Amino acid sequence: MQNIPLGLFYWQWASNILSIGMSAAAALPVIMALTLLAGRRGNARMCIMGTQRLTRLALGLGLLGPLLTATDIAGTLISLSGSLNGITLWDDAVLPYTTTVLAWIGGLCCLWVVAYMDKSSPLTAGLPDEDAAASKSSKGHSLRKGRRNPAPIEGSGRHDQLDSAAMRSRLFLYLLAGVCFFAAHALPNWSFSGPPQGMEWGRMVSAVLGTATHNYFTSFAPAGALALLSLSVFYAGRARSSASTPDNFPAAVDLEKAVRWCALWALIGYIPRCIDRWGLFIGFSFSGQGLPDWLMPQITGLVPLTLAVACWAILFTMRSRLQVLWLNWLALALLIVRQSLPFITYLLKSTA
């Protein structure tokens, strides 16, 4: 971060923070696909509401992917050469970023098709209407608007399960979007001009896919965290709204399950990284050797990351999770602090 224009420095800082949302968008399609599969075993209404809401969230956050990729490479090229004259999108140096933008756009198109399908046709067949959902607590014998409404019990038969044909199409599109977003993690490190000198194709493919898989798995943490954020905003807004009624407001037990599901993904995403880095720190400490220069900055950023994981672990294990949703806000604040630490450190050193 030395010898770069001040405007570019602050853009890189903002980009580092916005990359939290970009990472979340990459993993959300996989979480939504697994949510749909969970709907086959009951809780269909909550799964439908969750996937529809998360699809809109992923569409919004996914726009950060092509935006950040395009602006980052443009800023880097301008800082190096002073202009973009004579550079095409198909040059070997730029092609990884061009294909990355195309991969993001491909994934966003898949999500847009799902959002269009949700608006144009129902996701389920045979699900109870809102009146029947409201009559669950009456043991299936309450009367509403002069008609007898048998209320299906949660998880009982076809009335609380997703229609197979409707689910398969959306499941395919979610998985295709996930493949596109995974490709967006791998393509920036891919060498289109061939393997580096002295490296075989097999080793390059293994290295690129290994790095992409590791980075993609960590994306589940911000994905779960922002899904939790969306759920907490939904819960707070509907609880305050005077128009909300038991007919269209999910039961507290369903919301607790949704919070636990999102907290699970937020929790597991960063656990391997925390174990790996803390293991290195403990190993070097007990060996009597000094910490390597490359490890100490990582440990500094690992402290807020570990505290964020602890917040999600509490949310996952507690019984009354809806009462402590503020822990997710705290965890997201810690992620922002972690992303800002290198830039804050640079500013402190430059002003010292």
Side-chain angles (χ1 to χ4, degrees), residues 46-47 50 224 227-228 231 251-265 321-322 325:
M46 194 63 191
C47 290
L228 266 174
L231 182 62
V253 64
D254 292 332
L255 290 173
E256 293 279 358
K257 291 178 181 178
V259 171
R260 192 169 190 263
W261 177 250
C262 296
L264 171 66
W265 293 109
R321 303 176 189 89
L322 294 176
L325 283 175

Side-chain angles (χ1 to χ4, degrees), residues 296-308:
M296 195 58 204
Q298 294 190 30
I299 296 301
T300 304
L302 200 60
V303 173
L305 188 64
T306 305
L307 293 175

Side-chain angles (χ1 to χ4, degrees), residues 12 56 67 69-70 72 74 165 181 207 211 228 256 273 275 287 326 330 332 336 345:
Q12 289 178 345
R56 294 192 294 269
L67 173 65
T69 303
D72 281 350
F181 293 156
T211 301
L228 266 174
E256 293 279 358
R273 176 170 294 183
I275 293 175
S287 66
W326 57 268
L330 176 59
L332 285 170
I336 293 174
T345 303

Side-chain angles (χ1 to χ4, degrees), residues 10-27 61-69 71-72 104 185 215-216 218-223 226 270 273 332 335-336 338-340 342-343:
Y10 283 111
W11 164 248
Q12 289 178 345
W13 189 346
S15 176
N16 219 36
I17 295 175
L18 291 175
S19 65
I20 297 174
M22 182 179 68
S23 297
L61 295 175
L63 294 175
L64 293 171
L67 173 65
L68 294 182
T69 303
T71 53
D72 281 350
W104 277 108
H185 278 70
N215 292 336
Y216 192 78
T218 59
S219 297
F220 284 106
L226 288 176
Y270 283 135
R273 176 170 294 183
L332 285 170
L335 288 187
I336 293 174
R338 173 181 176 264
Q339 297 296 97
S340 302
F343 302 91

Side-chain angles (χ1 to χ4, degrees), residues 196-352:
Q197 188 174 3
M199 179 180 287
E200 299 177 352
W201 273 102
R203 288 182 58 194
M204 187 185 79
V205 171
S206 176
V208 171
L209 292 182
T211 301
T213 302
H214 175 77
N215 292 336
Y216 192 78
F217 186 80
T218 59
S219 297
F220 284 106
L226 288 176
L228 266 174
L229 181 63
S230 175
L231 182 62
S232 63
V233 171
F234 166 77
Y235 173 70
R238 298 297 291 273
R240 290 195 305 265
S241 175
S242 59
S244 63
T245 65
D247 287 359
N248 54 23
F249 191 73
V253 64
D254 292 332
L255 290 173
E256 293 279 358
K257 291 178 181 178
V259 171
R260 192 169 190 263
W261 177 250
C262 296
L264 171 66
W265 293 109
L267 174 64
I268 66 176
Y270 283 135
I271 283 182
R273 176 170 294 183
C274 290
I275 293 175
D276 177 59
R277 293 298 179 265
W278 282 121
L280 287 174
F281 175 75
I282 295 172
F284 277 109
S285 298
F286 279 97
S287 66
Q289 305 175 11
L291 291 177
D293 295 336
W294 57 268
L295 182 59
M296 195 58 204
Q298 294 190 30
I299 296 301
T300 304
L302 200 60
V303 173
L305 188 64
T306 305
L307 293 175
V309 171
C311 292
W312 294 319
I314 294 172
L315 272 172
F316 180 74
T317 56
M318 285 193 67
R319 287 183 175 274
S320 301
R321 303 176 189 89
L322 294 176
Q323 307 304 318
V324 289
L325 283 175
W326 57 268
L327 283 172
N328 185 58
W329 292 85
L330 176 59
L332 285 170
L334 289 167
L335 288 187
I336 293 174
V337 169
R338 173 181 176 264
Q339 297 296 97
S340 302
L341 276 177
F343 302 91
I344 296 173
T345 303
Y346 174 78
L347 286 177
L348 292 176
K349 288 181 178 180
S350 63
T351 57

